[in-house]
Amino acid sequence: MTSLKMSQEDTNHFNECHEAFALREKALDTFTDWASTVFRDAVVSKIALDYVKDGNTGRKRLEALGVGSGSGEIDIMFLEQMVKKYSNIYFTSLELSSENTALFKSKVSRGTIENVTWDWKQLSWDNYRFYNVKSREPKLFHFICTVHSLIYIRDVDQAVMNMYESLDDGGVLLMIVASEESGSYKLRTKFPQLYIEDGLSHVSSAEVRKILKTHGIPHQILSQPSRVDITTVFQKGRKEGSQLVDHLSKRVNFLKTASPRMVNEFISYLKSPQCSEREQQSYLLVNDWDAFIVTK
Ligand SMILES: C[S@@+](CC[C@H](N)C(=O)[O-])C[C@H]1O[C@@H](n2cnc3c(N)ncnc32)[C@H](O)[C@@H]1O
């Protein structure tokens, strides 16, 4: 079996597998609804601050930060809601992938969001934080969001605490992570040997809840159900099924390269009620996520 850290060919393969999963996941539809309903009430309305002064113009502005923005669709949805309330937003995006940042920029250039100044930084959270705290005037934020990106950060405990410290009084930190009840998280727990080399952290709502509790940080958790149709995984010879398995196992061509015993155990567990629900002839992977809302 081959793990995720590898050649360009394998990287391309995983991008295709991720696309196949994303098509079935319909995550953007879910987020479109979530941003215009839950986010508006549970996040935007909670930001309680006096606008800070913008040194250049004398106008007041809201400082917002996206950590691991990807190609920006979801951060843009959040900002579309925020501009309804705030007329001057400075949005800093941290994203490691230059391809993703290029996509983000092109979406913004085609879009209609006004009153946002965009600042794209190709930096990891740790590096950004390091430079920010060392600067003469460390920046504090009124809104920080990190959507399905904490899993990419090695020391999640420290990252959560540093994000909290980076909030200004009255600011809101929004962290979205896979639910501990989600099938993809349970697969990682059940088959840890598959994921050792993929470089991702073992993070779900359980770990984030524990971190916040340990540090005595009050928070609200909003749970969002999500189901992904993975029926083709259980139909022999289906290309999409094989791609979905590779995406979930983080292994190239898992069905052909893993031992028959491992394939059998993995597929059986994926099909079981631990991970999936049955709906008539279909199997739906439980893919719920939780939003942690921390106000300061
Ligand atoms: C799963 S994607 C989520 C993208 C976006 N937030 C979304 O939900 O569509 C995670 C993103 O975090 C970025 N990333 C990985 N490690 C990072 C780090 N240490 N700091 C900031 N971003 C990181 C990756 O390049 C990737 O685009």
Side-chain angles (χ1 to χ4, degrees):
M1 290 185 289
T2 326
S3 78
L4 235 174
K5 295 244 161 194
M6 49 191 120
S7 66
Q8 189 57 45
E9 194 184 333
D10 289 342
T11 305
N12 294 343
H13 173 75
F14 278 113
N15 286 343
E16 280 174 26
C17 296
H18 178 260
E19 287 270 304
F21 190 84
L23 275 177
R24 288 285 180 188
E25 189 182 16
K26 301 193 186 110
L28 291 183
D29 294 346
T30 309
F31 267 105
T32 304
D33 292 344
W34 198 84
S36 61
T37 53
V38 183
F39 177 79
R40 194 194 50 202
D41 294 339
V43 178
V44 184
S45 68
K46 298 263 171 64
I47 300 174
L49 53 101
D50 292 329
Y51 268 125
V52 291
K53 289 266 184 199
D54 178 329
N56 293 328
T57 62
R59 290 168 68 206
K60 296 170 176 182
R61 75 180 190 189
L62 180 135
E63 294 289 345
L65 173 71
V67 180
S69 299
S71 44
E73 288 95 344
I74 294 169
D75 290 5
I76 288 173
M77 287 178 200
F78 293 162
L79 285 157
E80 279 170 346
Q81 297 303 321
M82 295 178 72
V83 291
K84 291 179 185 168
K85 185 164 177 193
Y86 297 103
S87 59
N88 186 10
I89 298 177
Y90 191 95
F91 181 74
T92 305
S93 163
L94 303 183
E95 171 53 51
L96 286 181
S97 151
S98 52
E99 288 90 352
N100 277 344
T101 301
L103 288 169
F104 194 163
K105 286 180 180 173
S106 92
K107 282 186 192 102
V108 167
S109 70
R110 279 183 268 125
T112 51
I113 303 189
E114 289 177 358
N115 302 323
V116 178
T117 304
W118 305 89
D119 185 0
W120 287 280
K121 295 191 190 299
Q122 200 176 335
L123 281 176
S124 69
W125 160 253
D126 289 342
N127 279 341
Y128 175 76
R129 158 95 186 156
F130 177 80
Y131 292 121
N132 189 36
V133 290
K134 289 211 158 212
S135 68
R136 250 195 291 159
E137 281 187 61
K139 208 175 204 185
L140 291 174
F141 295 91
H142 307 117
F143 173 63
I144 300 177
C145 65
T146 182
V147 180
H148 294 311
S149 298
L150 280 180
I151 196 167
Y152 287 78
I153 297 178
R154 272 261 163 253
D155 190 339
V156 179
D157 191 319
Q158 190 177 54
V160 170
M161 290 317 296
N162 288 345
M163 284 180 202
Y164 182 69
E165 286 157 19
S166 303
L167 276 185
D168 205 347
D169 289 339
V172 174
L173 168 61
L174 168 66
M175 297 177 286
I176 292 181
V177 291
S179 159
E180 65 208 274
E181 298 304 326
S182 71
S184 44
Y185 176 74
K186 287 187 179 173
L187 285 168
R188 294 185 77 85
T189 309
K190 174 94 174 163
F191 303 102
Q193 67 274 35
L194 289 178
Y195 304 99
I196 286 166
E197 293 168 41
D198 72 1
L200 302 181
S201 293
H202 196 67
V203 181
S204 72
S205 43
E207 287 73 20
V208 176
R209 200 171 46 239
K210 189 167 167 219
I211 292 167
L212 294 173
K213 199 171 165 207
T214 303
H215 294 281
I217 298 177
H219 56 276
Q220 182 187 9
I221 306 176
L222 299 175
S223 298
Q224 176 63 41
S226 167
R227 298 289 177 273
V228 182
D229 189 332
I230 55 164
T231 311
T232 53
V233 166
F234 312 108
Q235 297 169 343
K236 269 215 157 60
R238 294 291 298 268
K239 182 179 175 192
E240 184 202 77
S242 169
Q243 289 175 324
L244 298 179
V245 170
D246 285 8
H247 173 77
L248 290 166
S249 66
K250 307 289 184 233
R251 298 281 156 155
V252 174
N253 218 353
F254 177 84
L255 295 175
K256 293 212 170 111
T257 57
S259 70
R261 185 173 165 197
M262 172 57 96
V263 170
N264 190 30
E265 283 180 14
F266 189 87
I267 297 297
S268 304
Y269 188 64
L270 189 54
K271 201 175 196 177
S272 75
Q274 298 290 325
C275 295
S276 298
E277 290 174 359
R278 193 84 199 259
E279 193 179 85
Q280 295 168 346
Q281 298 310 308
S282 301
Y283 288 92
L284 305 179
L285 177 73
V286 175
N287 196 43
D288 301 353
W289 47 262
D290 289 325
F292 287 80
I293 297 160
V294 176
T295 48
K296 193 170 182 184

